[in-house]
Amino acid sequence: MKDTAVLVLALTACLSLCSGAPAMSKDDQKKAEEYLKEFYSDSSASSIHMSQVNMQDFETTLKKMQEFFGLQVTGKLDTDTIEVMKKPRCGVSDVSNYGHFYGKPRWHKQTITYRITEYTPDLSQREVDDTIAQAFKLYSDVTPLDFKQIYSGTADIMILFKARNHGDFHPFDGPGKVLAHAMSPGANEGGDTHFDEDEKWTLSSAGINLLLVAAHEFGHALGLDHSQDSSALMYPTYKYVNTQGYQLPLDDKQGIQALYGCTCPQPTSQPQPNPPEPCNRDLVFDAATNIKNELYFFKNDYYWKKNSLMKDIPQTLIRSTWPSITSVDAAYNLKGKGISYFFKGQDYWGVTATSVLPGYPKQISQFGFPASVMKIDAAVHVESTRRTLFFTGDKFWSFDELSGEMDAGFPKSIKTDFPGIGSKVDAAFENYGFLYFSDGARQTEYKYSYRSVNRVLLNYGWLDCY
């Protein structure tokens, strides 16, 4: 028998009960037997049946369950006990506050890889990637652990979404019951995590919130058992809480740090780089983009933010807003999603106007670039076509944001397809229906639908230096 334990997160149908009923029905008794046998009793225990022969075993197990959930410990079925049994739950018991599996299995390395082999159609692939990364980040924020997503081969933690039989001898049972399960740390299947595709996966309070379930299951995959603390993430029953700014509750934090230790980085002073001169006629932008109707211009370690409602144009260190990013080669914004992407070398980050999204950096090869592309010179999203244009050297690529794939026939020549802008692009952005392409200090205002130049500018003009 494998040392790793399969952990099942189960959601039973929520049925109303008649309060104050003097006795439980045969159906309630049967459901209680099934609950204690499948989700509560020790795997080594014999089958539990409501019979005169082993009523004592049933009552003993029921008392443990009642004690665990803080119910009145009677060993008898009552409405409160039945109601708890019908709540969403995950079935490992007999723990006090945070718990670890027997023998305290853990990963004996700092970097743990994971791979998602099958996705749910309920969310986009990017949404799943970001949410899974966010769930892992809850643990890397408070321990020395580092989680890295890989896209081929065997990872430490293999993740999939699939219904019914899915190859691990623990088939899912359709919508509304088992949500997911995971293995405790170990070799081979250890840590592997599976989500029931028959559930409706969401990022909100509707359906089943992926972040909360994933974070709970990854707790098991890292070695955490269940907790009796009802405010803990590792409490057996599933319930939705607001995930905006969600962090590990104290009980879970203490549990995971007992296994892996605490990361307490000390702030270090860094020398401030010399800021670039904005009112220099020879100013060359590294990158530019539009975020929430504000223009961002990047140069070396700094960026300028231009807002039509503000008189001044502040100059800010990039790392003071996005700590893991020191400079930017290219940037573009997806207005409809409220996400921007920054590129540096062969890495890229998903960001908002104030923070880096979890799970980054990632490799630009995910966009379909060949290994020969070492960096992106410029990028701009064209809202009317839902394409993102990437510029590298004297060529450009067209990426379909809807399909998540590069368009066929690329790369193409910049000079041929964009007459008048030159043969290379250092920075690009969209503003009020025009595309702006910078080549050195010179900038071309371009009408994309007509493939025509509207006027020629200098970069520094955007910084109110006339």
Side-chain angles (χ1 to χ4, degrees):
M1 183 178 294
K2 295 182 178 179
D3 292 335
T4 51
V6 177
L7 303 153
V8 180
L9 187 63
L11 178 64
T12 59
C14 294
L15 304 175
S16 60
L17 298 171
C18 297
S19 61
M24 298 297 101
S25 67
K26 289 184 178 180
D27 185 58
D28 287 331
Q29 293 173 359
K30 182 179 178 181
K31 288 183 181 299
E33 294 170 21
E34 293 173 349
Y35 179 91
L36 294 178
K37 178 181 177 181
E38 185 173 2
F39 298 122
Y40 200 84
S41 66
D42 294 335
S43 59
S44 60
S46 58
S47 297
I48 298 172
H49 295 286
M50 181 72 82
S51 65
Q52 196 65 38
V53 176
N54 51 17
M55 174 69 78
Q56 184 176 356
D57 291 340
F58 176 85
E59 289 185 356
T60 299
T61 306
L62 185 60
K63 284 181 179 179
K64 291 180 180 179
M65 178 263 177
Q66 290 171 328
E67 181 180 4
F68 182 88
F69 285 101
L71 302 170
Q72 185 176 2
V73 181
T74 63
K76 308 294 183 184
L77 285 177
D78 55 37
T79 54
D80 290 339
T81 303
I82 290 291
E83 185 176 358
V84 169
M85 287 181 171
K86 291 177 179 178
K87 288 183 178 180
R89 67 149 298 136
C90 184
V92 179
S93 61
D94 297 331
V95 295
S96 179
N97 296 322
Y98 71 78
H100 302 130
F101 293 119
Y102 178 76
K104 291 190 177 181
R106 61 186 291 271
W107 297 99
H108 295 281
K109 53 184 177 180
Q110 186 166 320
T111 299
I112 299 170
T113 60
Y114 67 94
R115 179 185 173 193
I116 306 171
T117 58
E118 297 186 50
Y119 287 79
T120 174
D122 298 339
L123 301 165
S124 71
Q125 182 171 327
R126 184 171 286 171
E127 287 174 324
V128 173
D129 282 345
D130 289 346
T131 303
I132 293 299
Q134 186 179 353
F136 278 120
K137 188 174 185 292
L138 293 173
Y139 296 98
S140 62
D141 279 347
V142 298
T143 69
L145 293 175
D146 182 37
F147 300 96
K148 180 181 180 181
Q149 184 176 9
I150 64 174
Y151 303 92
S152 62
T154 302
D156 296 316
I157 298 175
M158 301 290 283
I159 301 168
L160 61 78
F161 292 78
K162 202 164 186 178
R164 306 292 177 170
N165 289 306
H166 53 281
D168 66 355
F169 303 105
H170 298 279
F172 290 126
D173 52 6
K177 294 183 180 180
V178 176
L179 299 181
H181 55 226
M183 302 288 284
S184 59
N188 300 320
E189 293 86 7
D192 290 358
T193 304
H194 305 152
F195 298 89
D196 186 359
E197 186 44 58
D198 277 333
E199 310 303 337
K200 178 62 177 178
W201 297 103
T202 73
L203 304 180
S204 65
S205 60
I208 304 299
N209 184 274
L210 178 58
L211 175 62
L212 295 174
V213 175
H216 178 104
E217 293 303 329
F218 295 154
H220 291 319
L222 295 175
L224 287 182
D225 202 341
H226 284 145
S227 171
Q228 280 186 277
D229 184 342
S230 61
S231 67
L233 174 66
M234 299 309 296
Y235 192 64
T237 58
Y238 166 86
K239 68 175 180 179
Y240 176 79
V241 296
N242 189 345
T243 58
Q244 185 70 33
Y246 184 79
Q247 295 179 333
L248 274 188
L250 179 61
D251 187 72
D252 308 289
K253 181 178 176 181
Q254 291 174 337
I256 202 68
Q257 288 178 341
L259 282 175
Y260 297 100
C262 174
T263 303
C264 304
Q266 298 298 320
T268 57
S269 59
Q270 300 185 46
Q272 299 285 2
N274 294 325
E277 170 55 51
C279 294
N280 180 348
R281 289 180 60 87
D282 296 323
L283 176 65
V284 178
F285 291 142
D286 293 336
T289 192
N290 192 320
I291 304 176
K292 289 188 174 181
N293 298 318
E294 295 178 315
L295 291 174
Y296 287 69
F297 301 100
F298 298 87
K299 180 65 177 177
N300 299 336
D301 301 78
Y302 290 84
Y303 70 89
W304 294 281
K305 181 168 67 173
K306 181 180 178 67
N307 186 322
S308 60
L309 301 179
M310 294 174 58
K311 182 178 180 181
D312 297 325
I313 302 176
Q315 185 181 68
T316 308
L317 267 174
I318 295 171
R319 64 171 179 251
S320 69
T321 305
W322 304 281
S324 56
I325 306 173
T326 56
S327 62
V328 179
D329 291 335
Y332 77 91
N333 175 253
L334 292 179
K335 186 177 181 180
K337 292 187 175 182
I339 300 174
S340 300
Y341 295 95
F342 291 175
F343 297 79
K344 178 65 177 177
Q346 292 188 307
D347 292 331
Y348 77 96
W349 294 260
V351 306
T352 67
T354 58
S355 64
V356 177
L357 297 174
Y360 291 91
K362 298 181 180 180
Q363 294 288 297
I364 62 173
S365 58
Q366 291 187 50
F367 284 90
F369 292 109
S372 58
V373 176
M374 304 302 292
K375 69 184 290 286
I376 308 300
D377 295 334
V380 62
H381 181 67
V382 182
E383 194 68 33
S384 61
T385 64
R386 298 187 180 180
R387 261 58 175 182
T388 297
L389 306 177
F390 292 103
F391 298 85
T392 61
D394 61 356
K395 302 288 193 300
F396 79 100
W397 308 69
S398 176
F399 181 78
D400 186 340
E401 292 287 349
L402 292 179
S403 69
E405 296 179 349
M406 286 290 186
D407 289 323
F410 289 86
K412 295 182 178 180
S413 166
I414 296 173
K415 193 170 184 178
T416 300
D417 278 49
F418 292 90
I421 72 169
S423 59
K424 70 179 180 71
V425 178
D426 295 323
F429 63 97
E430 184 275 335
N431 193 47
Y432 290 105
F434 289 99
L435 297 184
Y436 293 85
F437 300 111
S438 293
D439 178 3
R442 172 183 175 273
Q443 186 178 89
T444 304
E445 185 178 74
Y446 205 77
K447 192 65 176 176
Y448 182 65
S449 57
Y450 295 104
R451 295 296 198 278
S452 63
V453 175
N454 189 55
R455 58 177 174 160
V456 177
L457 310 166
L458 289 175
N459 289 331
Y460 85 121
W462 289 97
L463 304 180
D464 294 344
C465 295
Y466 289 119

